[in-house]
Amino acid sequence: MQFLYALRSKGVTDSRVLTAMEQVDRAAFVRGLFADRAYEDMPLPIACGQTISQPSVVGLMTQALQVNPRDKVLEIGTGSGYQAAILSKLARRVYTIDRYRSLVEDAHAIFARQQIANITTFTADGSFGLPDQAPFDRILLTAAAEDPPGPLLAQLRVGGIMVLPVGQSDAVQSLIRVTRLDSGYDYDELRAVRFVPLLEGLGQE
C-alpha cells in the first residue's frame, strides 16, 4: 500500500497501470547490494552500466503510453525487464530490445520464472526498431535520444503513441509523447526526466 501511495502522490493515477505495478514485484528485477532498496522510489544501478528507473517514472511513462489490452507494444531498452513486465500486464504482446545480450538473457530468465508468456526479447540495436514486426500500436523508449529516431516513428501505426525521453545525455531531458496522425506527428512535452543515452550498435557485455 505504501508503494502504491507513493506512486499516486507522484501523479500515477491510472487504475490499470497501478494494478499492473502492484502485480509486478520490482524486487525480482533488482539484485546485489541494492536489493533491499527495491521498493524505494529511486533509480538503481544494474549491470552493463544501466539503471532500473524509479517506479514513479515507470508509472508515469506507462500511463502516458495509454496501452490498450489488444495493443502490440515495442520497448527499446529492456534493461532489467521491469518495464516490459508491467507492459505485459496491459498489452496483448510486448517486443523488447536491448543492445546488451547479458541483460536480455537475464530479463528473459526472469520472465520465464514469472511465467510471463507474452514478451518476446531481442538483442539488437534498438534505434532501428523491429521492421519485421511493424507497425506497432505503442512504442516506449527507456533511453534518451536527441530526437525521436526516424525508423521508430515509421514503425508506429496511424493513431499509435510513442513515449520517450529526448535531449542531450549530459543535461536534463524532456519526456515527450508522439502521436502519429494521418497528416504527420503530434508532439506533447510531459515533464523533465533523466535517462541513460540511447546508443547505437551492440554492447560488449
Side-chain angles (χ1 to χ4, degrees), residues 151-166:
L152 299 182
L153 290 172
Q155 290 172 39
L156 191 63
R157 73 162 176 82
V158 174
I161 294 171
M162 176 162 64
V163 172
L164 75 159
V166 295

Side-chain angles (χ1 to χ4, degrees), residues 39-202:
Y39 301 114
E40 296 181 26
D41 191 36
M42 62 185 297
L44 297 170
I46 60 172
C48 304
Q50 305 300 293
T51 59
I52 178 172
S53 297
Q54 65 193 86
S56 61
V57 172
V58 170
L60 289 167
M61 291 181 73
T62 306
Q63 182 171 272
L65 204 60
Q66 301 173 14
V67 181
N68 296 309
R70 297 300 301 165
D71 283 349
K72 182 169 69 170
V73 180
L74 173 63
E75 181 199 29
I76 308 300
T78 308
S80 68
Y82 178 60
Q83 175 74 77
I86 291 168
L87 291 170
S88 77
K89 304 294 184 183
L90 301 167
R92 174 174 59 88
R93 164 83 32 202
V94 177
Y95 296 86
T96 182
I97 305 175
D98 204 286
R99 64 195 298 269
Y100 293 106
R101 182 175 300 279
S102 60
L103 291 181
V104 172
E105 290 173 349
D106 288 348
H108 181 79
I110 295 172
F111 300 150
R113 287 197 297 272
Q114 302 271 334
Q115 297 183 314
I116 302 173
N118 64 335
I119 301 177
T120 304
T121 58
F122 295 87
T123 302
D125 182 344
S127 59
F128 293 107
L130 286 174
D132 291 348
Q133 300 295 336
F136 295 95
D137 302 292
R138 301 288 186 269
I139 299 177
L140 181 67
L141 277 76
T142 59
E146 291 192 21
D147 296 293
L152 299 182
L153 290 172
Q155 290 172 39
L156 191 63
R157 73 162 176 82
V158 174
I161 294 171
M162 176 162 64
V163 172
L164 75 159
V166 295
Q168 300 289 341
S169 61
D170 59 350
V172 174
Q173 304 134 3
S174 293
L175 186 67
I176 67 167
R177 177 170 53 210
V178 184
T179 305
R180 185 166 189 178
L181 311 172
D182 285 318
S183 56
Y185 299 90
D186 183 57
Y187 296 83
D188 292 312
E189 188 171 328
L190 304 178
R191 56 167 286 162
V193 289
R194 187 181 292 273
F195 278 82
V196 296
L198 179 67
L199 302 175
E200 296 184 359
L202 295 180

